[in-house]
Amino acid sequence: MRDFQPNTIIEPFRIRSVEPLRFTTFEERDQALRRAGYNPFLLHADEVLIDLLTDSGTGAMSSRQWAGMIASDESYAGATSFYKFEAAVRDITGFKHVLPTHQGRAAEHILFTTIARPSHVIPNNTHFDTTRAHVEHAGAEAVDLVIDAGHHPRLIHPFKGNMDLDALASVIRETGPDRIPAIMLTVTNNSGGGQPVSMANIRAVSDLAHRHGIPFFLDACRFAENAWFIKTREPGYADKAPLDIAREMFSYADGCTMSAKKDGMANIGGFLALNDDALAAQCRGLEILTEGFPTYGGMAGYDLEAIAQGLYEALDPHYLHYRIRSIAYLGDKLVAAGVPIVQPTGGHAVYLDAREMLPHIPPLQYPGWALNNALYLLGGVRGVEIGTVMFGLRPDGSEGPAAMDLVRLAFPRRVYTQSHVDYLVEVILEVYARRERLPGYRIVWQSPTLRHFTARLEPLSES
Ligand SMILES: *Cc1c(COP(=O)(O)O)cnc(C)c1O
């Protein structure tokens, strides 16, 4: 007998502890949404059937992670759990100094408070919102330099998260290297649709930075997913293990910030890792002030254990195959049915193009919001609007359309199965069939900052 290669992609785990889903009726969801001011952020999580609000901290842990958590060392200083964590981070990233933090944004806070000043510029492919906020909080300017293809939702390009190297060179020339304390690359590019960055681009950005004596940092939240895209899309990497690809990615950088709530496979945690001794010493000083002693840094010993194990599980090729493939599978079904989405699908989410799907709803009546609420009402599915409600309010109080009106459906890691995805396809196609009848919305109350989290809205007509 000869071996055979099955085509079916199965979840690379079996389930030993289950969390029941709570089903609701259409009337219950209608009531819940009214009570929540038509804002899905204000729903109770048990009113949601399939929760795709975010992939951050929402993943399922493995039996090995739980075992590590039970066996953790909760000593204040020098806990064995810290040394396990430090060894894992060093083994994967190669960076000398590892500073644990309670989340990714705490690593950003420590890094940018230490290196960035007013008049400084930090280039990135696309700053994630907390990254931008910390750069600006330090008084510096955050500049996004993703390649042009990254701005076009339907343009197919294997690495839409790449940095525009010519634009980067001009920013360095115009600003002067002494006013650029670091160049960053976000892998994968979360705010740009979860699109990957190629190894060639990482290497080129690193070369350019180092030729000008500028440190180069990765925002490494989804480093494992990025490694998988390099393996499957970039010539020369097909036979390499994700772990080795990740090591090569980090080898070009001087440090990284990380949210372990993503590819750390944990529910909380993060780290700052870097090579420079003097900078590390400065950062540790601030870490003690804001996070905690450098061998726990805002986490419990059991969190350090979960991450030490989780970082390797995120690099398991069977896991990555299942994860990236389930998202592409959803994308393929939607594209085949004519539903407009951002293509190609990225690492952690499918982005529905609500502005394209709902041309009868102008941007200032929030097509993304309308689509997301329809998904909840019809299917109990919660995504998140990434559009005019999120980005349309300017600091002077005026309002304008965001660059795009999208609904992001982000997948928690190892939580949902193939049948959940099939259900999702059915719900989205049902909403798509009724698209012409979906109402726009108006905001009845909003906060002046980050309004999407707490705003209350009203549909413009009931149909
Ligand atoms: C989530 C995220 C962060 C911030 O991490 P938190 O753990 O949420 O503080 C930073 N950068 C990117 C790209 C992210 O996705």
Side-chain angles (χ1 to χ4, degrees), residues 304-434:
L304 295 164
E305 293 276 348
I307 298 165
Q309 174 66 26
L311 289 169
Y312 288 105
E313 292 182 4
L315 287 163
D316 171 19
H318 295 288
Y319 157 73
L320 283 168
H321 186 47
Y322 140 79
R323 175 159 180 80
I324 304 299
R325 187 57 215 143
S326 340
I327 289 159
Y329 171 86
L330 172 58
D332 291 348
K333 296 256 175 184
L334 297 178
V335 169
V339 179
I341 66 165
V342 176
Q343 288 179 280
T345 48
H348 65 293
V350 169
Y351 293 72
L352 308 176
D353 190 339
R355 191 175 294 173
E356 172 101 6
M357 193 194 295
L358 307 172
H360 65 288
I361 304 181
L364 293 184
Q365 292 177 12
Y366 317 124
W369 206 271
L371 176 58
N372 195 33
N373 280 358
L375 292 171
Y376 175 69
L377 273 176
L378 277 181
V381 173
R382 172 161 70 172
V384 65
E385 186 244 26
I386 307 228
T388 301
V389 176
M390 190 178 272
F391 298 122
L393 187 62
R394 305 190 183 114
D396 68 2
S398 67
E399 203 186 21
M404 294 192 264
D405 278 291
L406 305 175
V407 171
R408 184 187 74 183
L409 305 173
F411 281 73
R413 291 170 179 74
R414 302 189 291 206
V415 169
Y416 295 115
T417 65
Q418 182 81 21
S419 66
H420 293 122
V421 179
D422 284 325
Y423 170 80
L424 204 57
V425 172
E426 205 180 327
V427 172
I428 297 168
L429 295 190
E430 183 60 34
V431 169
Y432 185 62
R434 302 187 194 194

